């Protein structure tokens, strides 16, 4: 009898300990994060330079960012991407092979795009790394041979994705949400690539790679008074160019909830995206409530959408929500890939969960977990030099308050349930959303028609079309 009593007590203690282990640990005091302020100066050509000294490691990073306003490329869509691919292939001062050999010798990392350039190296190679970055970025060597190679790669990639449901979905979601005449709604085709000439690439570079919209963030084991004259010497000859910035009308959300269906007969599962557009700036008062609301809806494993579609029903490997933020119009997109035969049921659950976060306050546990996640990631990132550079750039480009990142943790902790509910109502516009479905019409359309949601049909390039014939 005594043995049984001891066994019972042991089982009870073990169960109690396991239950305690499963409980969410109590949040401690908010950590204090010291964000270093950069030394800043501006060159006569408009280039803004920010230097953050960090002597913990013998390493320096250079991050050049061009804040290029969105622009359309029309029947030559892809010219900006080709410009990115061609930058960094040596320069007019140094051959491609010599450039790569020097980078390898230093153990550095240097990369380019049509609106940026990045270099990371040991501090003893800092100046030479910056020289190579300047060579590749300001004196590019665009050649027909390299253009033909890069164009062929892009065309091969397009052909390989011709029947990919996810590739079609990504293309059509943006085309329908923004419109094909908007910078965010355009997409590359083989035809647009074949329209592009070397002169187009050069003109694209000259129009958009300009110092008046440029920011250079330098972080690491470098002294401000030493690097400042060197930056002035290397970038001083970078001349301003006239750039034609065009303002595009913001896309309009649909008046009522609707399904946009794209028939892909070979699809073995469907791609569902619930999307609407909006503008959310990082300095808006509801920025943090909105990102927290999106995290609770579809940002983590325990989010509404994932726990419903994956855990409760087993229809998918995962469901998520992604949101954009910044100076320009962006979108919120909740998406998942599900089995063909449950597509209509998944649509019902998407709508239910989005309506839930718009009508019901989140729980204390959900709110605190979301806050803890954002704060934890922020604290970890704040230790990295590249994050310090990004914070400095964001402060300038997004016109943030000077103390935005110093108050980051305090601002997140101030978000309450009412704030999250208000943000969800303002930005998660389910009654004005498109539910874009890419999949096998034969298996899905009969079930979708029973939902009493208007259905419009499009081809895989976003062009309106007739309802497919269901054999």
């Amino acid at each position: 009898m005594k043995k049984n009593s001891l066994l019972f007590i042991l089982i009870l203690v073990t169960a109690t300990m396991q239950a305690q282990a499963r409980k969410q640990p109590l949040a401690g005091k908010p950590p204090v994060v010291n964000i270093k302020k950069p030394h800043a100066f501006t060159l006569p050509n408009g280039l803004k330079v920010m230097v953050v000294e960090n002597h913990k490691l013998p390493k320096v990073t250079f991050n050049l960012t061009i804040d290029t306003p969105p622009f359309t490329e029309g029947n030559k869509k892809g010219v900006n991407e080709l410009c990115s691919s061609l930058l960094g292939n040596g320069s007019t001062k140094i051959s491609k092979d010599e450039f790569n050999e020097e980078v390898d010798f230093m153990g550095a990392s240097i990369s380019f795009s049509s609106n940026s350039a990045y270099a990371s190296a040991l501090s003893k190679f800092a100046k030479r790394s910056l020289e190579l970055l300047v060579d590749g970025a300001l004196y590019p060597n665009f050649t027909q041979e390299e253009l033909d190679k890069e164009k062929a790669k892009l065309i091969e990639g397009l052909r390989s994705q011709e029947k990919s449901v996810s590739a079609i979905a990504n293309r059509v979601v943006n085309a329908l949400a923004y419109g094909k005449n908007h910078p965010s709604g355009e997409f590359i085709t083989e035809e647009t690539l074949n329209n592009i000439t070397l002169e187009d690439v050069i003109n694209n570079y000259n129009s958009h790679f300009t110092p008046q919209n440029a920011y250079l963030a330098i972080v690491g084991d470098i002294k401000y008074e030493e690097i400042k004259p060197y930056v002035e010497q290397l970038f001083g000859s970078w001349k301003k160019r006239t750039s034609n910035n065009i303002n595009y009308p913001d896309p309009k959300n649909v008046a009522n909830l609707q399904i946009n269906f794209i028939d892909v007969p070979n699809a073995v599962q469907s791609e569902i995206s619930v999307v609407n557009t909006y503008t959310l700036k990082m300095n808006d008062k509801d920025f943090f409530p909105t990102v927290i609301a999106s995290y609770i809806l579809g940002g983590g494993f325990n989010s509404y959408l994932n726990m419903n579609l994956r855990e409760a029903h087993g229809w998918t490997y995962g469901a998520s929500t992604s949101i954009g933020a910044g100076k320009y119009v962006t979108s919120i997109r909740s998406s998942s890939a599900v089995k063909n035969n449950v597509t209509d049921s998944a649509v019902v659950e998407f709508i239910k969960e989005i309506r839930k976060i718009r009508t019901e306050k989140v729980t204390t546990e959900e709110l605190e977990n979301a806050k803890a996640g954002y704060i934890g990631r922020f604290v970890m990132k704040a230790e990295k030099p590249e994050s310090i550079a990004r914070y400095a750039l964001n402060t300038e480009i997004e016109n943030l308050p000077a103390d935005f990142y110093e108050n980051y943790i305090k601002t997140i902790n101030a978000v309450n349930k009412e704030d999250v509910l208000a943000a969800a109502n303002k930005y998660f516009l389910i009654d004005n959303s498109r539910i874009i479905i890419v999949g096998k019409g034969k298996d899905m359309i009969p079930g979708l028609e029973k939902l009493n949601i208007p259905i419009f049909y499009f081809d895989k390039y976003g062009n309106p079309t007739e309802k497919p014939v269901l054999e």
Side-chain angles (χ1 to χ4, degrees):
M1 193 71 180
K2 191 174 179 181
K3 272 188 177 181
N4 289 339
S5 298
L6 288 172
L7 181 61
F8 175 75
I9 293 171
L10 182 61
I11 292 171
L12 184 63
V13 170
T14 303
T16 303
M17 290 175 66
Q18 289 175 341
Q20 288 175 342
R22 286 194 298 269
K23 286 179 67 177
Q24 181 78 16
L26 295 174
K29 291 183 179 179
V32 176
V33 178
N34 295 315
I35 306 294
K36 280 199 169 186
K37 292 289 186 182
H39 300 286
F41 62 96
T42 303
L43 270 60
N45 58 16
L47 173 66
K48 299 176 181 64
V49 185
M50 293 156 282
V51 182
V52 179
E53 294 187 26
N54 186 329
H55 302 287
K56 289 182 180 179
L57 294 173
K59 184 179 177 181
V60 182
T61 62
F62 302 94
N63 194 330
L64 177 67
T65 299
I66 317 293
D67 183 25
T68 307
F71 61 93
T72 58
E73 299 173 55
N75 66 355
K76 295 188 178 184
K77 177 62 180 176
V79 66
N80 199 51
E81 187 162 339
L82 286 169
C83 185
S84 289
S85 301
L86 295 180
L87 279 165
N89 289 323
S91 71
T92 55
K93 297 184 175 184
I94 182 173
S95 72
K96 178 180 178 180
D97 289 340
E98 290 175 318
F99 184 96
N100 292 333
E101 284 176 9
E102 276 212 64
V103 172
D104 290 342
F105 172 78
M106 294 185 295
S109 174
I110 302 181
S111 59
F112 302 88
S113 79
S114 60
N115 62 0
S116 68
Y118 172 84
S120 175
L122 294 173
S123 48
K124 66 180 180 179
F125 297 125
K127 290 187 176 180
R128 182 54 183 158
S129 296
L130 183 58
E131 287 176 3
L132 290 174
L133 181 147
V134 171
D135 280 351
L138 305 191
Y139 308 100
N141 184 30
F142 296 126
T143 67
Q144 186 65 47
E145 180 184 5
E146 292 294 334
L147 174 62
D148 292 340
K149 286 180 184 177
E150 296 301 328
K151 195 185 290 189
K153 288 180 188 176
L154 285 177
I155 290 174
E156 186 62 30
L158 290 175
R159 290 175 179 173
S160 69
Q161 295 180 341
E162 187 68 23
K163 295 183 179 180
S164 166
V165 175
S166 60
I168 293 170
N170 288 332
R171 176 173 65 219
V172 177
V173 164
N174 288 334
L176 294 177
Y178 293 97
K180 290 194 287 185
N181 293 324
H182 190 275
S184 298
E186 287 188 315
F187 52 82
I188 298 172
T189 66
E190 189 170 340
E191 181 183 1
T192 62
L193 287 173
N194 285 327
N195 290 336
I196 297 169
T197 65
L198 184 62
E199 185 180 4
D200 294 324
V201 174
I202 295 171
N203 289 339
N204 180 83
Y205 171 83
N206 288 334
S207 297
H208 303 294
F209 210 94
T210 56
Q212 60 265 35
N213 298 325
Y215 301 83
L216 177 65
I218 304 171
V219 181
D221 186 26
I222 199 80
K223 292 184 177 179
Y224 172 76
E225 60 270 16
E226 291 180 4
I227 199 65
K228 182 176 184 288
Y230 203 60
V231 168
E232 291 171 334
Q233 174 191 335
L234 292 175
F235 287 94
S237 59
W238 190 9
K239 295 181 180 179
K240 288 184 179 181
R241 301 187 183 97
T242 303
S243 55
N244 298 319
N245 296 335
I246 301 173
N247 293 321
Y248 298 89
D250 287 346
K252 302 294 184 184
N253 290 309
V254 291
N256 302 102
L257 179 67
Q258 61 177 241
I259 293 173
N260 294 173
F261 193 87
I262 297 87
D263 184 33
V264 180
N266 67 292
V268 295
Q269 63 180 8
S270 64
E271 291 274 348
I272 303 174
S273 299
V274 184
V275 61
N276 65 266
T277 59
Y278 59 87
T279 300
L280 175 64
K281 298 178 181 178
M282 290 184 68
N283 56 13
D284 288 345
K285 66 178 182 179
D286 46 14
F287 170 74
F288 285 107
T290 306
V291 296
I292 289 174
S294 73
Y295 183 84
I296 295 172
L297 174 63
F301 183 83
N302 293 322
S303 66
Y304 289 180
L305 291 173
N306 199 62
M307 294 303 289
N308 183 326
L309 275 72
R310 174 192 164 108
E311 295 300 295
H313 290 101
W315 292 337
T316 178
Y317 288 115
S320 62
T321 297
S322 60
I323 67 166
K327 295 191 295 185
Y328 309 107
V329 67
T330 184
S331 64
I332 176 170
R333 177 180 175 182
S334 298
S335 58
S336 184
V338 304
K339 303 172 185 177
N340 284 352
N341 63 333
V342 298
T343 300
D344 53 341
S345 300
V347 167
V348 172
E349 298 306 314
F350 265 106
I351 296 171
K352 183 180 85 173
E353 297 300 345
I354 296 173
R355 289 200 191 284
K356 175 183 174 182
I357 201 167
R358 284 171 48 88
T359 56
E360 299 177 18
K361 290 181 182 178
V362 299
T363 67
T364 300
E365 183 180 10
E366 289 165 346
L367 180 59
E368 294 307 314
N369 287 347
K371 289 181 181 180
Y374 274 100
I375 291 172
R377 286 187 291 273
F378 173 72
V379 171
M380 290 178 65
K381 288 181 179 178
E383 297 296 320
K384 299 178 180 179
E386 55 267 31
S387 297
I388 297 172
R390 173 48 53 192
Y391 298 157
L393 287 168
N394 282 349
T395 301
E396 289 288 334
I397 293 173
E398 300 293 340
N399 193 28
L400 302 177
D403 59 357
F404 181 86
Y405 288 102
E406 282 79 357
N407 291 329
Y408 193 96
I409 295 174
K410 184 170 70 174
T411 308
I412 287 180
N413 278 329
V415 175
N416 58 40
K417 299 175 187 179
E418 290 75 18
D419 296 331
V420 173
L421 185 65
N425 271 277
K426 183 176 180 179
Y427 295 104
F428 303 176
L429 305 178
I430 185 61
D431 293 321
N432 305 103
S433 293
R434 297 175 184 269
I435 303 176
I436 301 172
I437 303 173
V438 180
K440 189 175 182 178
K442 176 183 175 182
D443 294 347
M444 301 173 196
I445 292 175
L448 292 171
E449 289 177 329
K450 295 177 183 178
L451 301 181
N452 294 321
I453 300 173
I455 304 177
F456 299 90
Y457 298 94
F458 298 86
D459 65 19
K460 60 184 180 181
Y461 297 105
N463 300 309
T465 188
E466 297 295 321
K467 175 182 173 180
V469 177
L470 306 180
E471 296 179 2

